[in-house]
Each structure stands twice: as structure tokens, then as C-alpha cells.
Amino acid sequence: MAKKTAKGSARAPRRTDSLSRELIIQTAIEILDSGGEKALTLRALTVRLSTGYGAIYHHVADKSDLLATATDDVITGVLSGAFADADPRTALRRLALGLFDAIDAHPWVGAELSRQPWRPALLDFYESIGRLLDDLDVPGKARFDAAGTLVNYVLGVAAQNAANARLRAGSGTDRETFLEKAATQWTQIDPGRYPFVHAAATQLGEHEDREQFLAGVEIFLAGISALR
């Protein structure tokens, strides 16, 4: 039976099993995915985990530490399966797509990486890309620029898609309707002044973000071939 507080309200029973850091981080990720950064509070964690603040503070310092650690956990998952039986180009595709998909599934990750680009998991990501570029004989002088180009491309596209998703959610418009409206506007512009944009209207309305992202990765891979 739930206990009563001093004011007589019911209080949820405390958990009797041990509370691990892994469980705290996983629960934080679930809260972030469902409600965003504003939803992640230590109070929300104590309620979800049926525990007290002391048990949380035993494993994490504060909300910032919790958010950073959750981000590292997601990125570490991207790195874990990228290299199995893969040549350097395949591994680069997997890394790029893995980070893109991770930020698409967890939009808060992109924002956290932008705030703290020195996070260990992102440094591991950079290091992995650097080694793969070395394997592809990209010259040392160009390797830094090539690695930065790829990471910035992934983070930029993923962040833009996440922002678009939040915008559509706020307006109650789904992606298909939003693209149809944008494509219609493109068809109505002056083709004499904007011939490319006018001709691309159909593709705008029909394109898939993930496929277009992968096309960009292929352009990147073609570009680094010219650096050797």
C-alpha cells in the first residue's frame, strides 16, 4: 500500500532493487525522446524510477551531466556496429548514416553535440573517421578538412531535419503536406529567373530525406577520391 505524506497525499512506493547508472541513462533517454530536454528533470527521473534524489545523485552530478552522458551513450551505439566486416568506404557510409539516424531518432542529441563538441563519444567519432580517411590514402593535410566536412554535413542535415520536424509538429502539419505546399510554391515562381528551382519542384515534393542524405555522402566519397 502506498504511504501517506505529511499532507496526506499518496506517495509512490520506493523501488527495492538496486538502481544502476545504465538504467538511469536509459530512462533519461526515454524521457528525452518523448518530451525533449524540458521534460528531463531529476524530479521526473525519481518518479519514473520510484526512487529518491540521493540515488540519482549517486550516479550523475546534475541534469547537464545526465544529458551529456545520454548523448555519449547514443553515439557509442552508432560506433559499435560500423566496422564489422566493412571496407573503409562502407564503414564511412555506416558511420555517417548511423549518426544521421541517431539524431533523427533522438533530436536532442544534435543540440547537445553542438553545445559540447568535445564530448568523448564525438571525439571517438572524429577519430574513427580520421582513421578511415587514412586507410583511403587521403593526404594528412586534407584529412582534417575532409573529416570536418563529413561531420558538419551529418550534423547540419540532421539538425535541420529535426528543426523541420519540430516546426511541423507545432503547426500540426505532416511532412507530406508541408512538402506538397512548398513544391506548389516552387512551381509558381518565374522559370525564367529560377529555372533550376522551378524544374526541381517535383523532386522537392517526392524526395526522401534519408535518400537525399545518402546521395550527399556519395558526393563526399567521390570528392575525397580526387584528393589522393
Side-chain angles (χ1 to χ4, degrees), residues 118-204:
W118 53 83
R119 291 303 308 165
L122 186 58
L123 295 179
D124 288 339
F125 193 88
Y126 261 111
E127 187 66 26
S128 298
I129 289 176
R131 288 197 300 268
L132 292 169
L133 292 173
D134 186 36
D135 291 341
L136 289 170
D137 297 323
V138 174
K141 187 176 181 180
R143 206 174 302 147
F144 171 77
D145 290 334
T149 296
L150 182 58
V151 172
N152 289 335
Y153 171 65
V154 179
L155 293 178
V157 174
Q160 185 61 56
N161 285 347
N164 290 341
R166 287 194 295 270
L167 180 64
R168 292 194 302 269
S171 66
T173 303
D174 59 29
R175 179 181 180 277
E176 182 178 349
T177 302
F178 176 84
L179 288 179
E180 286 179 355
K181 181 178 179 180
T184 299
Q185 292 177 334
W186 278 24
T187 62
Q188 295 172 351
I189 64 175
D190 180 6
R193 184 176 179 182
Y194 302 104
F196 168 75
V197 175
H198 188 273
T202 300
Q203 288 176 283
L204 173 66

Side-chain angles (χ1 to χ4, degrees), residues 2-199:
K3 296 181 179 180
K4 297 285 186 177
T5 65
K7 294 182 179 181
S9 59
R11 184 175 63 190
R14 294 292 178 88
R15 64 186 307 119
T16 57
D17 58 327
S18 60
L19 187 64
S20 68
R21 181 179 175 86
E22 291 74 18
L23 180 58
I24 291 173
I25 299 305
Q26 184 55 48
T27 304
I29 290 173
E30 293 171 0
I31 293 173
L32 286 162
D33 288 346
S34 62
E37 293 180 42
K38 291 182 179 180
L40 179 63
T41 64
L42 295 181
R43 170 61 179 165
L45 269 179
T46 62
V47 171
R48 183 77 67 91
L49 293 169
S50 301
T51 190
Y53 288 99
I56 302 294
Y57 283 124
H58 180 72
H59 294 282
V60 295
D62 50 29
K63 177 179 175 176
S64 295
D65 180 34
L66 186 60
L67 182 57
T69 305
T71 300
D72 283 347
D73 186 78
V74 170
I75 303 306
T76 298
V78 172
L79 293 169
S80 63
F83 303 98
D85 302 321
D87 61 87
R89 286 178 173 273
T90 299
L92 279 172
R93 289 188 189 93
R94 288 179 181 174
L95 281 173
L97 187 58
L99 185 55
F100 175 86
D101 285 343
I103 296 176
D104 185 57
H106 314 284
W108 48 272
V109 168
E112 180 65 13
L113 290 177
S114 297
R115 284 192 294 265
Q116 299 194 58
W118 53 83
R119 291 303 308 165
L122 186 58
L123 295 179
D124 288 339
F125 193 88
Y126 261 111
E127 187 66 26
S128 298
I129 289 176
R131 288 197 300 268
L132 292 169
L133 292 173
D134 186 36
D135 291 341
L136 289 170
D137 297 323
V138 174
K141 187 176 181 180
R143 206 174 302 147
F144 171 77
D145 290 334
T149 296
L150 182 58
V151 172
N152 289 335
Y153 171 65
V154 179
L155 293 178
V157 174
Q160 185 61 56
N161 285 347
N164 290 341
R166 287 194 295 270
L167 180 64
R168 292 194 302 269
S171 66
T173 303
D174 59 29
R175 179 181 180 277
E176 182 178 349
T177 302
F178 176 84
L179 288 179
E180 286 179 355
K181 181 178 179 180
T184 299
Q185 292 177 334
W186 278 24
T187 62
Q188 295 172 351
I189 64 175
D190 180 6
R193 184 176 179 182
Y194 302 104
F196 168 75
V197 175
H198 188 273

